[in-house]
Amino acid sequence: MTTLTTTEVSKFSAAVPFWLSLLMIPLGLIGASQGGWWLVLLPIYGWGMFSILDAIIGLNLDNADLDTTEDDLFWYRAITMMWFPLQFILIFGMIAYATRADHLSGGEQIALFFGVGIISGTIGINYSHELMHQKNKLERWLGDLLLASVLYSHFRSEHLLTHHRYVATPKDPVTARYNEGFHRFFPRVLRQSIKSAWSAEKAMLARKNLPATDFSNPFYRYAALQLGMLILAFLLGGWAGLGLFVFQAYVAIWQLELVNYIEHYGLTRKHLGDGKYEHVQPRHSWNAAHKASNWLLINLQRHSDHHYKPDRRFPLLQNYTEEDAPQLPYGYPVMTMAAMVPPIYRRIMNPRVRKWRAMYYPEVTDWGPYKAATNPMPR
């Protein structure tokens, strides 16, 4: 494992691979203008090409020098900060165009906005995740705007206030349970995450002796931003435009929750008794060091370090070895495709979960309460 110096990290050439997401935009425009089989370019690029590149290029085990400053990361920060205006123009420009394009059938419009949802989910929500963890107000606002464009604004509250605190315990909705297939996980997490987000914000306000209806509750902001996006979609494309906007949002949310599903599948923090759990460790997240998919996903696959240091910017996230954290056999593109077929996913992952248990918790003899998430709620 090599540590890259600040000089090496700060080079524009080192940041450029993380800008590969930009190629999704012209691919979407080609699909919109040509229709037909050209519409499959985006799924092929997002899932297929990066899976192939992962197999060819292999792993990136290098770590950046943690003394690298914010100024040294300019070219990395630029891509996340420029993404909202690009995505905003793409989504609403596509709505205005597609609803008036005679060469696109109804099915082709749906296929086009499936691709738009891949962009707004794989890239947009992922970038919003990076932005929401920062202290800079502009970046946090950009993160809010990206989430509003996929009608999932409460993800910020759920992620920051619930997931990071309660990951791998029964109180975290997005920790997938052992043997829980994605098609059971998805509706469960849609229901539970918004309730969890509301409860977390309500509890924060209660600690300030304020009611949940106080205007400082970010749910007012979430609702206003999402309503504005819906109105704009309707004004540009009528009911068809509104439907296409909601569809791309659904696809984006599906993409997000597929990633949430694989990031912690089957991993649990040890219950110490009386509602107390061990501290979050690197071993409570699945990691993937695959180089190409980490370019596309701005190092999201270095997930253990993200939970250790949530506000650490993506170029500085550290890689963990098998001795410290569990490793996925493939990058996220392959693993999310496998997750859509639960028997295949269980065949890949269940033996790894059992190995993880034996490695870290040989003293635990009854895994039933962990698998069923029936251990006491954390205090």
Side-chain angles (χ1 to χ4, degrees):
M1 189 179 297
T2 303
T3 298
L4 301 177
T5 66
T6 295
T7 301
E8 292 173 310
V9 173
S10 62
K11 289 180 180 177
F12 175 68
S13 58
V16 163
F18 293 102
W19 288 48
L20 286 171
S21 56
L22 288 174
L23 292 179
M24 285 189 157
I25 295 175
L27 292 179
L29 297 177
I30 291 170
S33 64
Q34 301 300 313
W37 287 102
W38 292 98
L39 293 166
V40 304
L41 285 177
L42 273 173
I44 288 175
Y45 182 76
W47 296 326
M49 196 193 83
F50 281 90
S51 299
I52 293 170
L53 285 176
D54 274 344
I56 295 172
I57 300 173
L59 307 181
N60 174 21
L61 305 178
D62 296 339
N63 285 327
D65 185 345
L66 292 177
D67 290 330
T68 303
T69 67
E70 293 274 298
D71 291 341
D72 294 318
L73 299 177
F74 173 81
W75 293 113
Y76 301 91
R77 296 177 62 196
I79 183 61
T80 57
M81 294 187 70
M82 73 168 63
W83 189 259
F84 170 71
L86 294 174
Q87 181 173 297
F88 181 84
I89 293 169
L90 178 74
I91 292 174
F92 292 102
M94 286 287 197
I95 289 172
Y97 177 80
T99 53
R100 294 166 176 80
D102 295 333
H103 68 286
L104 293 176
S105 67
E108 287 174 315
Q109 290 180 2
I110 292 172
L112 173 63
F113 276 79
F114 180 83
V116 172
I118 291 175
I119 295 175
S120 59
T122 303
I123 308 303
I125 296 183
N126 188 29
Y127 285 13
S128 76
H129 170 256
E130 170 77 6
L131 293 164
M132 74 172 69
H133 276 288
Q134 306 310 318
K135 298 173 183 176
N136 180 288
K137 286 186 178 180
L138 173 59
E139 289 178 290
R140 292 171 73 91
W141 261 104
L142 289 170
D144 280 349
L145 289 167
L146 282 168
L147 290 177
S149 71
V150 294
L151 305 178
Y152 218 52
S153 294
H154 68 274
F155 173 63
R156 171 179 164 175
S157 294
E158 192 283 328
H159 185 79
L160 297 178
L161 302 180
T162 300
H163 177 62
H164 272 271
R165 184 174 181 182
Y166 299 113
V167 63
T169 73
K171 197 169 182 176
D172 179 33
V174 301
T175 295
R177 302 160 189 169
Y178 182 78
N179 263 343
E180 182 181 28
F182 176 75
H183 305 292
R184 281 189 293 156
F185 168 86
F186 189 37
R188 178 180 68 77
V189 78
L190 290 179
R191 293 191 309 270
Q192 293 181 1
S193 63
I194 192 166
K195 293 178 182 178
S196 173
W198 174 262
S199 296
E201 293 292 355
K202 181 180 177 181
M204 280 193 67
L205 289 167
R207 288 193 287 272
K208 301 175 184 177
N209 295 317
L210 296 172
T213 53
D214 189 82
F215 281 112
S216 62
N217 190 328
F219 270 75
Y220 288 109
R221 180 170 73 252
Y222 300 162
L225 291 174
Q226 291 181 174
L227 181 61
M229 299 282 182
L230 289 166
I231 291 172
L232 181 56
F234 179 77
L235 292 175
L236 290 173
W239 290 110
L242 183 63
L244 291 171
F245 176 78
V246 172
F247 177 65
Q248 68 81 29
Y250 174 82
V251 173
I253 294 166
W254 166 65
Q255 292 276 280
L256 165 67
E257 297 304 351
L258 268 171
V259 168
N260 273 335
Y261 175 77
I262 67 174
E263 283 176 337
H264 304 281
Y265 173 81
L267 305 182
T268 50
R269 283 153 66 185
K270 184 179 177 181
H271 181 228
L272 303 177
D274 197 27
K276 296 180 181 179
Y277 287 82
E278 64 176 318
H279 291 298
V280 180
Q281 302 290 333
R283 60 176 173 264
H284 297 123
S285 302
W286 291 101
N287 292 267
H290 300 79
K291 184 179 290 188
S293 48
N294 266 322
W295 288 338
L296 181 68
L297 300 172
I298 56 171
N299 281 343
L300 181 65
Q301 299 174 145
R302 295 187 168 197
H303 207 61
S304 287
D305 199 50
H306 171 66
H307 274 273
Y308 169 67
K309 192 72 172 177
D311 62 350
R312 180 171 286 166
R313 293 192 182 272
F314 76 87
L316 303 184
L317 289 173
Q318 304 291 288
N319 184 64
Y320 285 86
T321 65
E322 283 190 78
E323 288 72 32
D324 299 312
Q327 306 293 315
L328 293 172
Y330 310 103
Y332 282 13
V334 171
M335 296 306 298
T336 52
M337 288 188 285
M340 289 300 295
V341 188
I344 293 177
Y345 193 79
R346 284 194 291 267
R347 188 176 303 169
I348 295 171
M349 292 304 299
N350 282 8
R352 288 175 167 82
V353 174
R354 293 192 293 268
K355 179 182 176 182
W356 173 87
R357 290 173 178 171
M359 180 176 179
Y360 291 108
Y361 304 103
E363 72 280 8
V364 177
T365 56
D366 182 11
W367 285 98
Y370 291 93
K371 291 191 289 186
T374 57
N375 276 327
M377 288 291 177
R379 293 196 309 179

